[in-house]
Short mmCIF file of all heavy atoms in Angstrom, two decimals:
data_model
loop_
_atom_site.label_atom_id
_atom_site.label_comp_id
_atom_site.label_asym_id
_atom_site.label_seq_id
_atom_site.Cartn_x
_atom_site.Cartn_y
_atom_site.Cartn_z
N ASP K 1388 0.82 -1.21 0.00
CA ASP K 1388 0.00 0.00 0.00
C ASP K 1388 0.86 1.26 0.00
O ASP K 1388 0.47 2.28 -0.57
CB ASP K 1388 -0.94 0.02 1.22
CG ASP K 1388 -2.02 -1.05 1.15
OD1 ASP K 1388 -2.27 -1.59 0.04
OD2 ASP K 1388 -2.61 -1.36 2.20
N GLN K 1389 2.04 1.20 0.61
CA GLN K 1389 2.93 2.36 0.67
C GLN K 1389 3.49 2.73 -0.70
O GLN K 1389 4.02 3.83 -0.87
CB GLN K 1389 4.06 2.10 1.66
CG GLN K 1389 3.58 2.04 3.10
CD GLN K 1389 4.68 1.64 4.07
OE1 GLN K 1389 5.85 1.50 3.70
NE2 GLN K 1389 4.30 1.44 5.32
N LEU K 1390 3.37 1.83 -1.68
CA LEU K 1390 3.82 2.14 -3.03
C LEU K 1390 2.82 3.02 -3.78
O LEU K 1390 3.15 3.62 -4.80
CB LEU K 1390 4.08 0.84 -3.82
CG LEU K 1390 5.17 -0.07 -3.28
CD1 LEU K 1390 5.27 -1.34 -4.13
CD2 LEU K 1390 6.51 0.64 -3.20
N HIS K 1391 1.56 3.05 -3.30
CA HIS K 1391 0.51 3.90 -3.86
C HIS K 1391 0.25 3.64 -5.34
O HIS K 1391 0.04 4.58 -6.12
CB HIS K 1391 0.82 5.38 -3.65
CG HIS K 1391 1.05 5.73 -2.21
ND1 HIS K 1391 0.05 5.71 -1.26
CD2 HIS K 1391 2.19 6.08 -1.55
CE1 HIS K 1391 0.55 6.05 -0.09
NE2 HIS K 1391 1.85 6.26 -0.23
N ILE K 1392 0.27 2.34 -5.74
CA ILE K 1392 -0.05 2.02 -7.13
C ILE K 1392 -1.19 1.00 -7.23
O ILE K 1392 -1.47 0.49 -8.30
CB ILE K 1392 1.20 1.53 -7.91
CG1 ILE K 1392 1.82 0.29 -7.26
CG2 ILE K 1392 2.21 2.66 -8.06
CD1 ILE K 1392 2.92 -0.35 -8.09
N GLY K 1393 -1.83 0.70 -6.10
CA GLY K 1393 -3.01 -0.15 -6.11
C GLY K 1393 -2.76 -1.65 -6.15
O GLY K 1393 -3.62 -2.40 -6.61
N LEU K 1394 -1.61 -2.10 -5.69
CA LEU K 1394 -1.34 -3.53 -5.68
C LEU K 1394 -2.15 -4.20 -4.58
O LEU K 1394 -2.21 -3.71 -3.46
CB LEU K 1394 0.15 -3.81 -5.45
CG LEU K 1394 1.11 -3.33 -6.53
CD1 LEU K 1394 2.55 -3.66 -6.13
CD2 LEU K 1394 0.78 -3.92 -7.88
N THR K 1395 -2.77 -5.33 -4.90
CA THR K 1395 -3.54 -6.08 -3.92
C THR K 1395 -3.14 -7.54 -3.97
O THR K 1395 -2.62 -8.01 -4.98
CB THR K 1395 -5.06 -5.97 -4.18
OG1 THR K 1395 -5.33 -6.46 -5.50
CG2 THR K 1395 -5.54 -4.54 -4.06
N GLY K 1396 -3.40 -8.25 -2.87
CA GLY K 1396 -3.08 -9.67 -2.83
C GLY K 1396 -1.96 -10.02 -1.89
O GLY K 1396 -1.57 -11.17 -1.78
N GLY K 1397 -1.45 -9.02 -1.19
CA GLY K 1397 -0.38 -9.27 -0.22
C GLY K 1397 -0.92 -9.89 1.06
O GLY K 1397 -2.14 -10.01 1.25
N THR K 1398 -0.02 -10.27 1.93
CA THR K 1398 -0.39 -10.89 3.20
C THR K 1398 -0.89 -9.82 4.17
O THR K 1398 -0.24 -8.79 4.35
CB THR K 1398 0.84 -11.59 3.81
OG1 THR K 1398 1.33 -12.54 2.88
CG2 THR K 1398 0.48 -12.29 5.10
N GLN K 1399 -2.04 -10.08 4.78
CA GLN K 1399 -2.59 -9.16 5.77
C GLN K 1399 -1.84 -9.31 7.08
O GLN K 1399 -1.32 -10.38 7.38
CB GLN K 1399 -4.08 -9.45 5.98
CG GLN K 1399 -4.92 -9.23 4.74
CD GLN K 1399 -4.90 -7.79 4.24
OE1 GLN K 1399 -4.87 -6.85 5.03
NE2 GLN K 1399 -4.90 -7.62 2.93
N GLU K 1400 -1.78 -8.27 7.84
CA GLU K 1400 -1.10 -8.31 9.14
C GLU K 1400 -1.80 -9.33 10.04
O GLU K 1400 -3.02 -9.42 10.06
CB GLU K 1400 -1.14 -6.94 9.81
CG GLU K 1400 -0.50 -5.83 8.99
CD GLU K 1400 0.95 -6.05 8.63
OE1 GLU K 1400 1.72 -6.53 9.47
OE2 GLU K 1400 1.32 -5.72 7.49
N GLY K 1401 -1.02 -10.10 10.76
CA GLY K 1401 -1.58 -11.09 11.68
C GLY K 1401 -1.87 -12.43 11.03
O GLY K 1401 -2.31 -13.35 11.70
N TYR K 1402 -1.63 -12.56 9.75
CA TYR K 1402 -1.86 -13.82 9.05
C TYR K 1402 -0.52 -14.45 8.72
O TYR K 1402 0.48 -13.76 8.53
CB TYR K 1402 -2.64 -13.61 7.76
CG TYR K 1402 -4.08 -13.25 7.99
CD1 TYR K 1402 -4.46 -11.92 8.17
CD2 TYR K 1402 -5.06 -14.23 8.02
CE1 TYR K 1402 -5.78 -11.58 8.39
CE2 TYR K 1402 -6.38 -13.90 8.24
CZ TYR K 1402 -6.74 -12.58 8.42
OH TYR K 1402 -8.04 -12.25 8.64
N ILE K 1403 -0.52 -15.74 8.60
CA ILE K 1403 0.68 -16.47 8.19
C ILE K 1403 0.46 -16.94 6.77
O ILE K 1403 -0.57 -17.54 6.46
CB ILE K 1403 0.96 -17.68 9.11
CG1 ILE K 1403 1.19 -17.21 10.54
CG2 ILE K 1403 2.14 -18.49 8.59
CD1 ILE K 1403 1.30 -18.35 11.53
N ASN K 1404 1.40 -16.67 5.92
CA ASN K 1404 1.31 -17.07 4.53
C ASN K 1404 2.00 -18.42 4.36
O ASN K 1404 3.21 -18.52 4.51
CB ASN K 1404 1.97 -16.02 3.63
CG ASN K 1404 1.62 -16.20 2.18
OD1 ASN K 1404 0.71 -16.95 1.85
ND2 ASN K 1404 2.34 -15.51 1.31
N ILE K 1405 1.23 -19.45 4.09
CA ILE K 1405 1.78 -20.79 3.94
C ILE K 1405 1.80 -21.14 2.45
O ILE K 1405 0.77 -21.09 1.79
CB ILE K 1405 0.94 -21.84 4.70
CG1 ILE K 1405 0.94 -21.51 6.19
CG2 ILE K 1405 1.46 -23.25 4.43
CD1 ILE K 1405 0.01 -22.37 7.01
N VAL K 1406 2.98 -21.44 1.96
CA VAL K 1406 3.12 -21.83 0.57
C VAL K 1406 3.14 -23.34 0.51
O VAL K 1406 3.97 -23.99 1.13
CB VAL K 1406 4.43 -21.25 -0.04
CG1 VAL K 1406 4.59 -21.68 -1.47
CG2 VAL K 1406 4.43 -19.74 0.09
N THR K 1407 2.18 -23.90 -0.22
CA THR K 1407 2.10 -25.36 -0.32
C THR K 1407 2.77 -25.82 -1.60
O THR K 1407 2.63 -25.17 -2.63
CB THR K 1407 0.64 -25.85 -0.30
OG1 THR K 1407 -0.07 -25.22 -1.37
CG2 THR K 1407 -0.03 -25.52 1.02
N PRO K 1408 3.49 -26.93 -1.55
CA PRO K 1408 4.15 -27.42 -2.76
C PRO K 1408 3.11 -27.93 -3.74
O PRO K 1408 2.07 -28.45 -3.36
CB PRO K 1408 5.05 -28.55 -2.25
CG PRO K 1408 4.43 -28.99 -0.98
CD PRO K 1408 3.74 -27.79 -0.40
N LYS K 1409 3.40 -27.76 -5.02
CA LYS K 1409 2.52 -28.26 -6.07
C LYS K 1409 3.10 -29.57 -6.57
O LYS K 1409 4.25 -29.63 -7.00
CB LYS K 1409 2.42 -27.25 -7.21
CG LYS K 1409 1.74 -25.97 -6.77
CD LYS K 1409 1.68 -24.97 -7.89
CE LYS K 1409 1.03 -23.69 -7.38
NZ LYS K 1409 1.21 -22.60 -8.28
N PHE K 1410 2.30 -30.63 -6.50
CA PHE K 1410 2.75 -31.93 -6.98
C PHE K 1410 2.45 -32.03 -8.46
O PHE K 1410 1.34 -31.74 -8.90
CB PHE K 1410 2.02 -33.07 -6.24
CG PHE K 1410 2.40 -33.17 -4.80
CD1 PHE K 1410 1.57 -32.68 -3.80
CD2 PHE K 1410 3.61 -33.73 -4.42
CE1 PHE K 1410 1.92 -32.76 -2.47
CE2 PHE K 1410 3.98 -33.82 -3.10
CZ PHE K 1410 3.13 -33.33 -2.12
N THR K 1411 3.45 -32.43 -9.22
CA THR K 1411 3.24 -32.63 -10.64
C THR K 1411 2.70 -34.04 -10.85
O THR K 1411 2.99 -34.96 -10.08
CB THR K 1411 4.54 -32.46 -11.44
OG1 THR K 1411 5.52 -33.34 -10.91
CG2 THR K 1411 5.04 -31.02 -11.34
N GLU K 1412 1.93 -34.21 -11.88
CA GLU K 1412 1.33 -35.51 -12.17
C GLU K 1412 2.45 -36.45 -12.63
O GLU K 1412 3.13 -36.18 -13.61
CB GLU K 1412 0.26 -35.37 -13.26
CG GLU K 1412 -0.56 -36.62 -13.47
CD GLU K 1412 -1.38 -37.02 -12.25
OE1 GLU K 1412 -1.85 -36.13 -11.53
OE2 GLU K 1412 -1.54 -38.22 -12.01
N THR K 1413 2.62 -37.52 -11.91
CA THR K 1413 3.63 -38.50 -12.28
C THR K 1413 3.01 -39.88 -12.20
O THR K 1413 1.92 -40.06 -11.66
CB THR K 1413 4.85 -38.46 -11.34
OG1 THR K 1413 4.42 -38.82 -10.03
CG2 THR K 1413 5.49 -37.09 -11.32
N SER K 1414 3.70 -40.83 -12.68
CA SER K 1414 3.19 -42.20 -12.60
C SER K 1414 3.75 -42.90 -11.36
O SER K 1414 3.63 -44.10 -11.22
CB SER K 1414 3.60 -42.98 -13.86
OG SER K 1414 5.01 -43.01 -13.95
N SER K 1415 4.36 -42.15 -10.50
CA SER K 1415 4.98 -42.70 -9.32
C SER K 1415 3.94 -42.96 -8.23
O SER K 1415 3.42 -42.05 -7.63
CB SER K 1415 6.05 -41.73 -8.81
OG SER K 1415 6.48 -42.10 -7.55
N ALA K 1416 3.63 -44.22 -7.96
CA ALA K 1416 2.65 -44.59 -6.94
C ALA K 1416 3.09 -44.17 -5.54
O ALA K 1416 2.27 -43.69 -4.77
CB ALA K 1416 2.36 -46.08 -7.01
N PRO K 1417 4.38 -44.32 -5.17
CA PRO K 1417 4.78 -43.92 -3.82
C PRO K 1417 4.53 -42.44 -3.53
O PRO K 1417 4.17 -42.08 -2.44
CB PRO K 1417 6.27 -44.25 -3.77
CG PRO K 1417 6.46 -45.33 -4.78
CD PRO K 1417 5.45 -45.02 -5.86
N LEU K 1418 4.71 -41.58 -4.52
CA LEU K 1418 4.48 -40.16 -4.32
C LEU K 1418 3.01 -39.89 -4.02
O LEU K 1418 2.68 -39.13 -3.12
CB LEU K 1418 4.93 -39.35 -5.55
CG LEU K 1418 4.76 -37.84 -5.46
CD1 LEU K 1418 5.55 -37.29 -4.28
CD2 LEU K 1418 5.19 -37.17 -6.74
N LYS K 1419 2.11 -40.55 -4.77
CA LYS K 1419 0.69 -40.36 -4.53
C LYS K 1419 0.30 -40.90 -3.17
O LYS K 1419 -0.50 -40.31 -2.45
CB LYS K 1419 -0.13 -41.03 -5.63
CG LYS K 1419 -0.06 -40.29 -6.95
CD LYS K 1419 -0.93 -40.93 -7.98
CE LYS K 1419 -0.80 -40.17 -9.30
NZ LYS K 1419 -1.62 -40.73 -10.34
N ALA K 1420 0.86 -42.02 -2.79
CA ALA K 1420 0.56 -42.60 -1.49
C ALA K 1420 1.04 -41.68 -0.38
O ALA K 1420 0.36 -41.48 0.62
CB ALA K 1420 1.22 -43.98 -1.36
N MET K 1421 2.22 -41.08 -0.57
CA MET K 1421 2.76 -40.18 0.44
C MET K 1421 1.90 -38.91 0.54
O MET K 1421 1.61 -38.43 1.63
CB MET K 1421 4.20 -39.80 0.11
CG MET K 1421 4.91 -39.14 1.27
SD MET K 1421 6.67 -39.21 1.15
CE MET K 1421 7.00 -37.86 0.07
N ALA K 1422 1.45 -38.38 -0.60
CA ALA K 1422 0.59 -37.20 -0.59
C ALA K 1422 -0.72 -37.51 0.12
O ALA K 1422 -1.22 -36.70 0.90
CB ALA K 1422 0.32 -36.73 -2.03
N THR K 1423 -1.28 -38.70 -0.08
CA THR K 1423 -2.51 -39.10 0.60
C THR K 1423 -2.26 -39.23 2.10
O THR K 1423 -3.08 -38.80 2.91
CB THR K 1423 -3.03 -40.44 0.02
OG1 THR K 1423 -3.25 -40.26 -1.38
CG2 THR K 1423 -4.32 -40.86 0.70
N ALA K 1424 -1.12 -39.80 2.46
CA ALA K 1424 -0.79 -39.96 3.88
C ALA K 1424 -0.67 -38.59 4.55
O ALA K 1424 -1.18 -38.40 5.66
CB ALA K 1424 0.51 -40.74 4.03
N PHE K 1425 -0.04 -37.62 3.89
CA PHE K 1425 0.07 -36.28 4.46
C PHE K 1425 -1.30 -35.63 4.58
O PHE K 1425 -1.57 -34.90 5.51
CB PHE K 1425 1.00 -35.40 3.63
CG PHE K 1425 2.45 -35.63 3.91
CD1 PHE K 1425 3.34 -35.85 2.89
CD2 PHE K 1425 2.93 -35.63 5.22
CE1 PHE K 1425 4.69 -36.07 3.16
CE2 PHE K 1425 4.26 -35.84 5.49
CZ PHE K 1425 5.14 -36.07 4.46
N HIS K 1426 -2.18 -35.92 3.63
CA HIS K 1426 -3.52 -35.37 3.66
C HIS K 1426 -4.30 -35.91 4.85
O HIS K 1426 -5.09 -35.20 5.47
CB HIS K 1426 -4.24 -35.69 2.34
CG HIS K 1426 -5.64 -35.21 2.28
ND1 HIS K 1426 -5.95 -33.88 2.18
CD2 HIS K 1426 -6.81 -35.88 2.33
CE1 HIS K 1426 -7.26 -33.74 2.16
NE2 HIS K 1426 -7.82 -34.95 2.25
N LEU K 1427 -4.08 -37.17 5.19
CA LEU K 1427 -4.80 -37.81 6.29
C LEU K 1427 -4.12 -37.63 7.65
O LEU K 1427 -4.70 -37.96 8.67
CB LEU K 1427 -4.96 -39.31 5.99
CG LEU K 1427 -5.80 -39.65 4.76
CD1 LEU K 1427 -5.76 -41.14 4.50
CD2 LEU K 1427 -7.21 -39.15 4.92
N LEU K 1428 -2.92 -37.11 7.67
CA LEU K 1428 -2.15 -36.96 8.90
C LEU K 1428 -2.89 -36.17 10.00
O LEU K 1428 -2.94 -36.61 11.14
CB LEU K 1428 -0.78 -36.35 8.61
CG LEU K 1428 0.21 -36.30 9.77
CD1 LEU K 1428 0.49 -37.72 10.28
CD2 LEU K 1428 1.50 -35.66 9.32
N PRO K 1429 -3.52 -35.01 9.70
CA PRO K 1429 -4.22 -34.29 10.77
C PRO K 1429 -5.34 -35.12 11.40
O PRO K 1429 -5.50 -35.11 12.63
CB PRO K 1429 -4.78 -33.05 10.06
CG PRO K 1429 -3.90 -32.86 8.88
CD PRO K 1429 -3.48 -34.24 8.46
N ALA K 1430 -6.11 -35.84 10.60
CA ALA K 1430 -7.19 -36.67 11.14
C ALA K 1430 -6.63 -37.78 12.01
O ALA K 1430 -7.18 -38.10 13.08
CB ALA K 1430 -8.03 -37.25 10.00
N LEU K 1431 -5.53 -38.38 11.59
CA LEU K 1431 -4.90 -39.44 12.36
C LEU K 1431 -4.40 -38.91 13.71
O LEU K 1431 -4.62 -39.53 14.75
CB LEU K 1431 -3.73 -40.06 11.56
CG LEU K 1431 -2.95 -41.16 12.25
CD1 LEU K 1431 -3.85 -42.36 12.54
CD2 LEU K 1431 -1.77 -41.57 11.38
N LEU K 1432 -3.75 -37.75 13.69
CA LEU K 1432 -3.25 -37.16 14.94
C LEU K 1432 -4.39 -36.80 15.88
O LEU K 1432 -4.30 -37.01 17.09
CB LEU K 1432 -2.40 -35.93 14.63
CG LEU K 1432 -1.06 -36.20 13.95
CD1 LEU K 1432 -0.39 -34.88 13.57
CD2 LEU K 1432 -0.16 -37.03 14.83
N LEU K 1433 -5.47 -36.28 15.33
CA LEU K 1433 -6.63 -35.95 16.14
C LEU K 1433 -7.23 -37.19 16.78
O LEU K 1433 -7.61 -37.19 17.95
CB LEU K 1433 -7.67 -35.21 15.30
CG LEU K 1433 -8.89 -34.67 16.04
CD1 LEU K 1433 -8.47 -33.71 17.13
CD2 LEU K 1433 -9.83 -34.00 15.06
N SER K 1434 -7.30 -38.29 16.03
CA SER K 1434 -7.82 -39.56 16.55
C SER K 1434 -6.96 -40.08 17.69
O SER K 1434 -7.47 -40.49 18.72
CB SER K 1434 -7.90 -40.61 15.44
OG SER K 1434 -8.75 -40.20 14.42
#
């Protein structure tokens, strides 16, 4: 905002900007299994 050119989309104060990795489509089964495991990790920890 201090640049005064109307840029929007920056991080708001008090928020944490988390950059998530983008998985490319591959034929690698272990990578997909690992991505699924990471996706289920919060539910598993909560249980």
